[in-house]
Amino acid sequence: MAANDNRTVTIAAIARLAGVSVPTVSRVINGRSDVAPQTRERVEELLTRHGYRRRPPSMRASSGLVDLVFNDLDSPWAVEIIRGVEDVAHAAGVGTVVSAIHRRSSSAKQWLDNIRTRSTEGVIFVTSTLEPPQQAELRRLNIPAVIVDPAGVPAQDAPTIGATNWAGSLRATEYLIGLGHRRIGFIAGPPQLMCSRARMDGYRAALEAAGIPIDDRLIQAGNFYHEAGFSGGARLLGLTEPPTAIFASSDQMALGVYEAVRQRGLRMPDDISVVGFDDLPEVRWCSPPLTTVRQPLAEMGMLAARTVLRLARGEKVESPRVELATELVIRDSAAAPKADRGSSE
């Protein structure tokens, strides 16, 4: 360890001498604030003693690229995220490399192999979990990462960007309750995603606050895609006592519900109300225009791009966890239940 050369003085060696983890040494090197003062002092002393030369952020080679990694790219939701990232990247003179790993370990491994062969400013993962091998390799390559809508519990050293899913779902359900609905169907998203669980919890919280018993028969599993909305909507409409409103936890599933409603010869909102979540551009043009919770997808992409570029420049991020506000957008797909309208006429 006497040689004053970064080729022999490794972060791992410093970590062993200091009795701390490699990520802790990395946080000290990168000027992160989440390190105990005594630990920071011990690590800094070892870095100086053994001649570890930190390259200033301004000296970092710029690749002019940001990686944007999705599990899948078969959704207009993904397009909105890409649009936001592209806007910021283009303004910064940086290109965007978009990849889909399709939830397969072989694809993730191939993506990591590609990262090793070229330089990148940073990586934005969307609805993903940053697995330990990925964390370790990106740390080794000194590549910062940001996660948009983390799938599971976020990695502690990766900033996350999300939306107020619970609050948005609560507001949508409260709106339907305020219209007079008491039997409100719900089509959930993938249970492994944090955003799905938050939307389910917001729906249940609104019912409980209104004193409406939760009926598990009114809750259908889904996956955010049209087909799940169609099948879930058909099952709800086929109940002996069907709901008077359906809240689909994505716009694509809400449009699937539209088709299920049409196939039963029903009309919206005369016979049943439908509410979605996302506010994708096309839902304002469907018939009737969809009432939905606006998730600021493009803004989430923009903030993720700004954050990862700041990290690439060696700047600190004030808050590692950011949730952008959702908003209920009221259009024409929801109204008071038919019985309530009849009693008031």
Side-chain angles (χ1 to χ4, degrees):
M1 284 288 295
N4 290 337
D5 190 334
N6 279 352
R7 288 173 296 182
T8 56
V9 182
T10 65
I11 292 178
I14 295 293
R16 283 195 300 272
L17 289 170
V20 298
S21 66
V22 170
T24 297
V25 177
S26 179
R27 286 195 286 271
V28 172
I29 291 173
N30 290 313
R32 294 271 296 270
S33 60
D34 50 347
V35 179
Q38 289 182 334
T39 301
R40 179 183 300 280
E41 184 178 348
R42 184 166 69 254
V43 171
E44 290 280 11
E45 191 275 328
L46 286 168
L47 289 168
T48 302
R49 185 197 310 171
H50 294 286
Y52 187 92
R53 295 191 299 275
R54 284 173 280 196
R55 186 166 51 181
S58 59
M59 298 292 289
R60 186 178 184 272
S62 175
S63 66
L65 294 174
V66 165
D67 273 76
L68 179 56
V69 183
F70 291 85
N71 282 315
D72 298 291
L73 280 169
D74 53 354
S75 166
W77 181 91
V79 173
E80 291 299 297
I81 297 284
I82 293 170
R83 184 165 64 84
V85 172
E86 284 270 304
D87 283 351
V88 171
H90 179 75
V94 174
T96 307
V97 179
V98 180
S99 305
I101 57 176
H102 306 293
R103 297 179 175 83
R104 294 195 295 263
S105 58
S106 58
S107 297
K109 182 179 181 301
Q110 182 180 7
W111 176 79
L112 272 177
D113 290 341
N114 292 338
I115 283 288
R116 293 186 192 101
T117 62
R118 60 176 170 77
S119 180
T120 184
E121 297 289 321
V123 182
I124 300 169
F125 292 96
V126 183
T127 59
S128 300
T129 298
L130 193 54
E131 301 292 346
Q134 294 173 329
Q135 293 182 52
E137 185 62 9
L138 292 176
R139 201 159 42 232
R140 187 184 73 80
L141 297 170
N142 197 29
I143 297 173
V146 174
I147 305 175
V148 176
D149 254 352
V153 177
Q156 300 226 338
D157 54 354
T160 63
I161 311 295
T164 54
N165 291 286
W166 184 88
S169 184
L170 179 83
R171 177 71 184 93
T173 310
E174 287 177 337
Y175 173 69
L176 290 170
I177 293 169
L179 290 174
H181 295 280
R182 293 299 178 269
R183 287 186 61 77
I184 302 171
F186 182 78
I187 305 179
Q192 71 273 18
L193 297 184
M194 291 182 68
C195 61
S196 297
R197 298 197 293 270
R199 293 173 199 180
M200 169 77 84
D201 290 345
Y203 160 79
R204 296 173 70 96
L207 294 180
E208 290 172 353
I212 300 173
I214 294 171
D215 186 344
D216 288 338
R217 292 171 299 178
L218 294 178
I219 300 174
Q220 295 290 322
N223 60 9
F224 288 160
Y225 291 98
H226 294 92
E227 295 81 4
F230 174 76
S231 59
R235 285 191 292 270
L236 289 169
L237 295 171
L239 292 173
T240 304
E241 191 179 354
T244 60
I246 297 176
F247 176 21
S249 57
S250 80
D251 283 352
Q252 286 186 279
M253 291 199 300
L255 295 180
V257 172
Y258 269 40
E259 184 57 27
V261 170
R262 290 192 188 98
Q263 288 196 12
R264 294 188 73 89
L266 302 175
R267 294 182 302 168
M268 298 166 289
D270 296 339
D271 300 308
I272 187 162
S273 293
V274 179
V275 172
F277 199 113
D278 282 331
D279 196 27
L280 299 175
E282 58 265 36
V283 301
R284 72 192 67 179
W285 304 111
C286 61
S287 181
L290 179 67
T291 291
T292 187
V293 177
R294 181 179 184 271
Q295 184 176 201
L297 297 169
E299 291 90 338
M300 289 160 64
M302 294 172 70
L303 181 57
R306 291 192 191 101
T307 301
V308 84
L309 289 174
R310 287 185 62 186
L311 292 172
R313 293 192 296 265
E315 299 176 14
K316 293 183 180 179
V317 176
E318 290 81 6
S319 176
R321 308 281 181 263
V322 177
E323 285 191 345
L324 300 184
T326 52
E327 173 191 4
L328 182 65
V329 180
I330 298 173
R331 297 192 179 102
D332 301 330
S333 63
K338 184 180 290 186
D340 288 3
R341 291 198 301 272
S343 63
S344 63
E345 289 174 356

